[in-house]
Structures are given as structure tokens and as C-alpha cells.
Amino acid sequence: MRRPIDSLFGRLALLVVAVLMLSHFAWYALMRLERSQLQTRYAVEEATFLVDAVRQHVARTPDQPLPSRVKLVDPASPDVPAASANMPPPLERFVEDVRDRMPADTQVRISPPGGPPTLWVRAATDRNWIVVPVQPLRMPRSLDRTVSWLVIIFSFAVMAALFAAWALQRPLRLLAQAVARFGRGLPVPPVPERGPRELRQLTHGFNQMVQEVARTENDRAVMLAGVAHDLKTPLARLRLRAEMMDDAKTRDGVVRDVDSMTHIVEQFLLFAHDGADRSEPVEVDAQCERVVRSYRAVASGAPIVHTELNAGPSFQLPAATLDRILSNLIDNAHAYGAPPVVVATARTPQGFTLSVSDNGKGIAAQDLISASRPFVRLDPARGGNGHSGLGLAIVERLVRRAGGEWEIGNHDGRGLRVLMSFPFEVLPRVATASENAW
């Protein structure tokens, strides 16, 4: 099961959202703290200004009445609040800030709770207590208009960051898809060189590598095809001369050798062929039955071949590709395995499977990786006349060219099994290729 967090975009999105959430939370907390401090400083400045204004008023115009909320109170009055030692931290900080702004030995008190907040101030030179109103020191509310703006800004920031993350990982995703196609042996068009400088350099290097590999493969295919084609004519003349020999024993030996060489040449030509299969798609189950039936008729002395065909009529592949796959695998099973040989198809939740297995000794575990490499012949059990070491390499190339995957291994401790898997989406591609060919 694919998890979104496993992808580059998923991890970038998670990182971006986490960073934005942390930064916005820190900014909001800092803004609330700064607003509280600003409120305290403003209240201190306002109270200090009012106290100084009252002192000037008393010194210059003592006969003029004071504002309604400002008054002078005799120190002996019972209304004078007592000094409180257990004030809330914001209020205690406010009192300390006001005392710092006043002359030395100034007494600063706050009216008891329950009424309008007032500040009581009396310096050493003051005859009376100066009582002035103060701005209420309210803590910022937990939810206010700032939160709404914060949510809006955060949403737009997340959308912009996700778009940037998508744009950053898209070239890398295209490169990963191209690497996957290249690993399966499928044609790889040039990948657009986009994104950051390092990613552009990586894409450019990959495109150059694909071009060099394709050029090398093409040169090798041309060389093999040319050599194989040039050998067909002398082999035909050699067979004709062998047929004219008088000694039957010698004639049969030479003909067998010529047939082996002809088979090797045909394998070279098939391996060198790199074009798309334009043959008509056929039902795999029906074609497997026909190939096995014809094989039994032609090779009457060959080991038994069984079929277990359960894929259904919707499993289709190009006829030429399927015939080449089956002929190479059945020949390989007859040459190196033991009867019975089983050709099986099945339908799975992921697609269709086609397998060919025998009951021989199989291949040693350390040789399974190299068994499908071109021109590799595993000795001593996998030698013989007429074999070039291309059979399994041809099958691998044909399967991947048809859009499938293959797996080679020993099944149940017996014999060799080649399991080929084709996803459902391959079938429309095969049908479309056939229609284009017409």
C-alpha cells in the first residue's frame, strides 16, 4: 500500500506545513506578548502624565477645581488604600514601572478591586495623595480578530508553499519515471531539464547516458544483424552441399550442425531486432494451447507439455511476441529441464501472469542473476549444440517491451520457472498499437 508520506511531495508538504505552523504560532505568541507590554507602557505613561499635570495644577492654580475623576485625598483619610503585597504580576509590574518614573521615596498604591481602577501617588513633597484613573490592564483575549487574520494568512501561505513544493518535485518525479522505464528496457524520451541547477545537471547527465546506451545498443544490434544476415547465405549453400553427400551418416551429422548454426543465427537476428511488434493481439490462453499442440505434433519424442490456462479471453498479447516467448521457453525447458513442462496463465488482482516451468534440477541460486544475460551459458548442465545463450535474454527483452515484468527462479525446490506479469493497463496499449499498425 502506497503511503503519501513516502513520496517527496508528501514529505515536503509535511515539512512546509509544520514550519509554517510553528512560525505562525511563534509570531502570534510574540505579538500577544508585545501587545500586553505596549498596553502596560501606555498605561504607565498616561498615569505619569496625569500625576504631573495634577501637581502643576495644584502649584499654579490651587483655587481651580480638578477634573471629576481626579482628586486629592488627605493622608489621614480612611479611604487611603493599604499597601498590597499580593498583586497579580501584570499589576505589580505596572506599579513598579510607575514608581521608577517618579521621584525617589514616592509611594504608589492601587485601589482595591471592586470599583473603578485608580492610582494613588504621594511623593515626599506632596501634602496629599494624588488619585488619578488608570487604564484597565486587561489580558488579551484568546480569540479575537487577529486569529481570523492569522488563519487566512496561514491558509494562503500553505497553498503557496504546497504549489512551490509540487513545482520543485515534479521534475524529479519525471526523472524517476524515466529511470523506471529505462530499467525495464522501454524507450525513454528525453526528460525536460527543469528545476534547480543540480537537478538540471542530473537530468542532463541522465539524458546523455540514455543516448549513449541507445547508441551502443544500436551499434551492437546492427553488428549482430549484419553478421547473422551474412552467414545465412553460406549456411544455405553448406546445407545444400551436405544434402548431396553420398555417405548418409556424414550427411546427417553435417545437416544437424548446419541446423544448429542456423538456429544460432536466427537467435542473433531475433535478439538484434529492436522494433515494436506490429502483429495482431491474440488471446494468450488460446494461443498457448495452439503452440503446445503444434509442438507436440512436430516434436513427437519430446517430453510432455501440460497447460493450466486460467487467465480468460481478456488477456491478450501480440501474436509474434507471444510465439517467440513460448518457443524460447519451451525449447529451454526441453533442453535443460525435465518433464513435465507446464505452461500456465492466471488472473490476479494486479493483472495477468504467464509462466513456463519444468521439473529439472533448476539453476543454482548464485547463477540466477546471470542466467538472463546475453551470451551467458551455464556449464556444464546448460551447454549443447545450437544454443547461443540468448534464449532467456530474448524472453526478458520481449516481456519488458510488451510492458510486463518477469521473474526467474526455482519453484518449490524443483525445476526452473519463468514467471511473467502483465498489468491490466498493458492491454489497451497493445490494442492501440495494433490499431495504429493497421
Side-chain angles (χ1 to χ4, degrees):
M1 180 180 179
R2 297 179 60 186
R3 296 181 298 174
I5 195 62
D6 284 339
S7 64
L8 176 62
F9 177 73
R11 298 193 178 189
L12 282 176
L14 182 62
L15 177 63
V16 164
V17 171
V19 170
L20 286 176
M21 186 175 296
L22 180 62
S23 62
H24 278 69
F25 176 79
W27 171 77
Y28 181 64
L30 181 63
M31 184 186 65
R32 284 170 60 90
L33 178 63
E34 184 66 21
R35 186 172 67 174
S36 176
Q37 294 177 350
L38 285 175
Q39 185 185 31
T40 302
R41 287 197 295 268
Y42 178 77
V44 169
E45 293 292 338
E46 183 183 39
T48 303
F49 175 78
L50 287 176
V51 170
D52 290 341
V54 170
R55 284 174 177 163
Q56 293 178 10
H57 176 81
V58 171
R60 296 177 181 178
T61 56
D63 298 334
Q64 295 294 329
L66 294 171
S68 60
R69 296 185 60 187
V70 176
K71 57 184 178 179
L72 299 175
V73 179
D74 188 87
S77 173
D79 295 333
V80 177
S84 177
N86 297 320
M87 291 185 294
L91 197 58
E92 184 177 0
R93 187 167 54 251
F94 169 74
V95 171
E96 292 294 333
D97 290 343
V98 172
R99 187 177 290 114
D100 291 341
R101 299 291 301 273
M102 296 294 174
D105 299 330
T106 300
Q107 301 180 59
V108 179
R109 299 179 185 179
I110 293 292
S111 62
T118 56
L119 180 69
W120 295 63
V121 178
R122 183 170 182 263
T125 58
D126 295 331
R127 296 177 54 188
N128 299 310
W129 285 93
I130 301 174
V131 182
V132 296
V134 295
Q135 181 182 1
L137 298 177
R138 301 188 183 93
M139 294 299 296
R141 291 171 293 177
S142 58
L143 294 176
D144 52 14
R145 185 180 300 177
T146 306
V147 176
S148 302
W149 280 106
L150 183 67
V151 171
I152 295 175
I153 295 173
F154 178 77
S155 302
F156 278 101
V158 167
M159 289 189 291
L162 291 181
F163 177 78
W166 174 82
L168 180 64
Q169 64 87 35
R170 186 170 181 270
L172 192 59
R173 178 169 57 86
L174 295 176
L175 181 60
Q177 293 174 351
V179 170
R181 288 180 58 87
F182 181 73
R184 294 173 57 186
L186 300 176
V188 181
V191 182
E193 299 177 10
R194 301 171 182 170
R197 182 180 68 254
E198 294 81 2
L199 187 55
R200 293 197 305 270
Q201 293 175 349
L202 178 62
T203 306
H204 181 72
F206 174 78
N207 288 334
Q208 284 187 330
M209 181 190 69
V210 171
Q211 293 176 0
E212 291 297 327
V213 171
R215 186 179 299 110
T216 302
E217 288 288 333
N218 183 66
D219 293 342
R220 185 176 66 170
V222 170
M223 181 189 68
L224 287 176
V227 171
H229 183 271
D230 292 342
L231 286 176
K232 292 181 68 175
T233 301
L235 285 175
R237 291 198 301 265
L238 186 59
R239 181 183 177 89
L240 179 61
R241 292 173 181 173
E243 294 288 352
M244 299 174 61
M245 289 183 178
D246 296 331
D247 188 352
K249 185 175 181 180
T250 304
R251 181 179 64 247
D252 294 341
V254 173
V255 169
R256 282 195 302 270
D257 291 341
V258 172
D259 290 340
S260 297
M261 295 177 64
T262 302
H263 178 71
I264 294 175
V265 168
E266 291 174 352
Q267 292 287 81
F268 279 4
L269 289 174
L270 182 58
F271 182 77
H273 176 67
D274 197 28
D277 190 351
R278 302 290 184 177
S279 60
E280 181 181 0
V282 295
E283 295 181 11
V284 174
D285 286 1
Q287 188 68 8
C288 287
E289 189 64 44
R290 285 193 291 267
V291 170
V292 170
R293 192 184 305 117
S294 63
Y295 201 94
R296 292 170 184 162
V298 174
S300 57
I304 302 173
V305 181
H306 294 316
T307 56
E308 298 177 1
L309 308 174
N310 303 307
S314 56
F315 185 20
Q316 297 183 2
L317 288 175
T321 296
L322 182 58
D323 289 344
R324 291 167 182 167
I325 290 175
L326 291 175
S327 61
N328 276 281
L329 291 180
I330 294 177
D331 287 344
N332 189 78
H334 284 170
Y336 309 119
V341 178
V342 180
V343 179
T345 62
R347 183 187 179 100
T348 66
Q350 292 77 27
F352 298 99
T353 61
L354 169 64
S355 65
V356 177
S357 58
D358 61 66
N359 286 268
K361 296 180 179 180
I363 299 178
Q366 63 270 19
D367 294 331
L368 285 174
I369 298 178
S370 59
S372 61
R373 293 177 181 172
F375 308 107
V376 173
R377 297 171 61 182
L378 304 179
D379 293 328
R382 308 190 78 80
N385 295 328
H387 297 280
S388 59
L390 289 174
L392 294 179
I394 291 173
V395 172
E396 180 183 13
R397 176 172 292 192
L398 292 174
V399 170
R400 291 187 173 180
R401 190 179 297 161
E405 295 288 344
W406 88 320
E407 178 183 352
I408 181 173
N410 302 315
H411 67 107
D412 299 332
R414 302 174 289 111
L416 184 71
R417 182 182 70 168
V418 177
L419 177 63
M420 296 152 281
S421 304
F422 298 89
F424 290 119
E425 56 267 20
V426 169
L427 305 181
R429 187 194 313 165
V430 171
T432 303
S434 176
E435 294 172 1
N436 294 337
W438 286 100

